[in-house]
């Protein structure tokens, strides 16, 4: 997605050879027009899959997911990372290890919102080592629902997330694939 790549070039900050900061449009401040285009792109790539729910992880997955769900005409659900006073039982849960934060989180969603009849599209902001996406996929499996695939806004193609998800037989669609962050420079994989 060309406009997303331009935005990454213009506003992204390379923090190290493996971490890209995009707080000006995705992870802190959100560019709603860009998110609308992101949602349209995911909806068009998965339009034939008869999706009934879009599933993401709080908080940075919510904006692209809402826009995708709006376009597909279905609800979106975000998994919670922290214990909630109101979300206490009747849950699907998975353990997610974050390499960036060096900590493990239990993520959860209520069983009320995904059932075995659903066809679920998983969306996330970044794909690195695939742990967040695999945790979301794990909860879809627990529910007995069908997974239509995984939509990623920014994939770091030099990490192994895609490989792990594809090994499980699932489709991954990324709107921008970064092939390197070396020497402070963002390089994209050619489409
Ligand atoms: P994974 O579980 O695939 O290893 O990492 C994905 C999660 O870690 C994403 O949900 C995102 O929040 C965070 N993440 C991983 N790498 C980056 C990065 O380079 N930049 C930002 N902003 N977040 C990242």
């Amino acid at each position: 997605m060309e406009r997303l790549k331009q935005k990454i070039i213009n506003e992204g900050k390379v923090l190290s050879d493996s971490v890209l900061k995009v707080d000006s449009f995705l992870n802190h401040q959100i560019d709603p027009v860009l998110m609308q285009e992101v949602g349209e792109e995911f909806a068009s790539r998965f339009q034939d899959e008869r999706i009934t729910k879009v599933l993401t992880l709080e908080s940075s997955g919510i904006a692209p997911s809402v826009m995708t769900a709006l376009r597909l005409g279905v609800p979106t659900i975000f998994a919670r990372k922290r214990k909630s006073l109101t979300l206490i039982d009747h849950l699907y849960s998975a353990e997610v290890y974050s390499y960036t934060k060096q900590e493990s989180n239990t993520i959860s969603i209520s069983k009320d919102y995904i059932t075995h009849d659903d066809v679920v599209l998983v969306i996330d902001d970044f794909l690195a080592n695939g742990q967040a996406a695999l945790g979301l996929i794990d909860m879809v499996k627990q529910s007995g629902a069908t997974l239509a695939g995984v939509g990623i806004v920014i994939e770091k193609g030099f990490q192994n997330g895609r490989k792990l998800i594809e090994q499980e037989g699932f489709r991954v669609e990324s709107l921008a694939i970064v092939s390197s962050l070396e020497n402070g420079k963002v390089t994209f994989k050619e489409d």
Side-chain angles (χ1 to χ4, degrees), residues 23-182:
D23 277 10
S24 71
F25 62 91
L26 182 59
N27 289 142
H28 194 18
Q29 175 170 262
I30 291 169
D31 178 337
V33 176
L34 181 67
M35 285 309 117
Q36 191 173 32
E37 288 176 28
V38 161
E40 281 166 9
E41 183 64 29
F42 282 135
S44 113
R45 293 193 192 194
F46 288 96
Q47 64 182 349
D48 297 329
E49 301 290 336
R50 298 170 181 267
I51 287 155
T52 61
K53 298 279 165 74
V54 179
L55 174 65
T56 192
L57 184 56
E58 68 174 353
S59 52
S60 293
I62 296 176
S65 294
V66 168
M67 292 304 188
T68 307
L70 179 67
R71 193 68 181 186
L72 290 169
V74 300
T76 187
I77 303 141
F78 61 92
R80 292 193 167 153
K81 288 179 183 163
R82 285 164 283 274
K83 287 213 165 51
S84 154
L85 282 178
T86 53
L87 190 67
I88 39 178
D89 51 18
H90 194 56
L91 300 174
Y92 300 118
S93 297
E95 280 300 305
V96 172
Y97 181 75
S98 163
Y99 289 95
T100 36
K101 292 187 183 143
Q102 305 265 304
E103 64 181 27
S104 199
N105 278 305
T106 305
I107 63 167
S108 315
I109 54 172
S110 165
K111 289 184 178 173
D112 287 341
Y113 302 121
I114 296 190
T115 70
H116 63 274
D117 296 327
D118 280 312
V119 180
V120 180
L121 171 61
V122 164
I123 297 272
D124 205 6
D125 59 339
F126 269 86
L127 178 63
N129 292 296
Q131 299 307 298
L134 289 169
L136 293 168
I137 291 170
D138 185 4
M139 292 192 294
V140 174
K141 286 183 181 164
Q142 290 172 42
S143 74
T146 303
L147 182 76
V150 178
I152 298 292
V153 182
I154 304 173
E155 173 180 342
K156 290 184 293 179
F158 53 88
Q159 293 178 296
N160 68 349
R162 172 181 288 268
K163 191 169 143 230
L164 296 176
I165 299 166
E166 288 182 341
Q167 265 173 5
E168 294 216 12
F170 301 119
R171 174 180 168 198
V172 180
E173 290 286 339
S174 303
L175 305 190
I177 304 181
V178 174
S179 58
S180 161
L181 293 172
E182 278 167 27

